[in-house]
Amino acid sequence: NFNMVSCFPLDYMHLCCLGVMRKLLNYWIRGSMLQHIVRLRVNLRIQLSKRLEYYAKFMPNDFNRKSRSLNELDRFKAVEFRTILLYLGPIVLKNILSTKLYEHFLLFHCAMRILLLPEFVNTEWINTAKEMLVHFVEQIKLLYGNEASIYNVHSLIHLADDCLYFKETLNEVSCFSFENYLGKLKYMLRRPNRPCAQICKRLSETSYINYDRLDNANSFVAH
């Protein structure tokens, strides 16, 4: 009684941030001759980079990484693509992209905002988000060419179904929390050999210390 298709949710970190959002930025910044219509002129690329650097000054500490120049696009992390997709995109891309491309991006932006907000789970807004993503997928071939119709793009139309099936936002079934914890595991390594054994030992030590503190606290309360 385990559905091998619907029981495995799509991860929006890889699908949307490291996938479609990175692909769109590459089309705008480095589009091939086939995408000369969507590739931005040099002055617009420079202006877009300056906007990203400018708004980084006003980003609160809730953002682990501030936006940076597009000259470092190859080194962007998933959270940086997420920042552009969910927060900065509608501002920094306005009057940079053509009207058609900008409105097309807004379909993607609005749909993802809906699917990531808890108050919209199990409401008609989920169906609205799905309609937006279907329209986004239908239009991408016309705007960016046949080579833009890749598996990642097609998978977008199933994101809303995951929200309905699991009754959670996409953030609750994404890999972001696991990626963040990898950083903690990294600091547990003290030498390059036998990393798994080292991590198991560190976790065991942490558990022992926590249990010991709990026992001491219970003894103190008892007395």
Side-chain angles (χ1 to χ4, degrees):
N1 297 322
F2 189 84
N3 190 314
M4 295 297 290
V5 177
S6 59
C7 286
F8 289 95
L10 293 164
D11 168 41
Y12 98 94
M13 187 191 84
H14 289 94
L15 175 61
C16 301
C17 303
L18 291 170
V20 178
M21 190 64 241
R22 177 163 61 180
K23 196 75 172 175
L24 290 177
L25 279 169
N26 274 288
Y27 282 145
W28 301 331
I29 305 304
R30 306 165 177 163
S32 65
M33 293 306 295
L34 293 175
Q35 289 108 24
H36 67 281
I37 298 176
V38 300
R39 186 175 57 196
L40 297 173
R41 299 193 305 274
V42 175
N43 62 319
L44 292 177
R45 296 201 295 267
I46 294 173
Q47 187 176 348
L48 178 56
S49 281
K50 287 182 177 179
R51 286 186 180 185
L52 289 171
E53 292 177 304
Y54 174 75
Y55 285 111
K57 303 174 185 177
F58 307 101
M59 294 174 67
N61 292 332
D62 301 83
F63 293 86
N64 295 328
R65 292 179 179 270
K66 311 300 182 185
S67 57
R68 47 181 170 163
S69 169
L70 292 172
N71 294 328
E72 301 181 69
L73 181 59
D74 290 333
R75 291 182 288 277
F76 274 22
K77 302 293 186 182
V79 290
E80 294 174 275
F81 290 113
R82 180 179 65 180
T83 299
I84 296 174
L85 170 60
L86 300 178
Y87 303 99
L88 293 181
I91 302 171
V92 299
L93 295 172
K94 188 174 179 62
N95 298 324
I96 296 289
L97 296 180
S98 66
T99 302
K100 286 185 178 180
L101 294 180
Y102 181 67
E103 291 178 351
H104 183 249
F105 165 77
L106 288 182
L107 286 172
F108 188 27
H109 163 79
C110 293
M112 294 307 300
R113 292 286 297 178
I114 292 171
L115 298 179
L116 287 163
L117 290 173
E119 56 264 36
F120 289 139
V121 176
N122 298 325
T123 69
E124 284 301 314
W125 281 103
I126 299 296
N127 293 326
T128 302
K130 182 169 185 176
E131 292 174 6
M132 290 179 178
L133 290 174
V134 169
H135 189 48
F136 176 86
V137 172
E138 291 173 345
Q139 291 293 314
I140 200 168
K141 183 177 179 180
L142 300 175
L143 295 171
Y144 295 90
N146 292 334
E147 65 180 64
S149 297
I150 57 177
Y151 178 76
N152 271 353
V153 172
H154 167 77
S155 297
L156 292 176
I157 64 177
H158 300 293
L159 287 173
D161 297 328
D162 285 344
C163 287
L164 292 174
Y165 185 85
F166 292 98
K167 296 180 175 54
E168 297 282 1
T169 67
L170 292 181
N171 208 42
E172 300 301 318
V173 292
S174 80
C175 286
F176 273 110
S177 58
F178 298 97
E179 288 285 327
N180 293 337
Y181 196 69
L182 283 176
K184 296 180 180 180
L185 295 180
K186 177 183 174 182
Y187 287 109
M188 295 181 183
L189 301 177
R190 298 175 181 174
R191 52 184 182 276
N193 59 316
R194 301 182 64 193
C196 290
Q198 291 183 66
I199 290 174
C200 287
K201 189 173 183 180
R202 297 293 90 74
L203 291 174
S204 177
E205 291 169 353
T206 302
S207 299
Y208 176 80
I209 292 171
N210 288 338
Y211 281 125
D212 189 48
R213 288 176 177 173
L214 181 63
D215 289 339
N216 290 336
N218 290 335
S219 300
F220 178 77
V221 172
H223 284 89

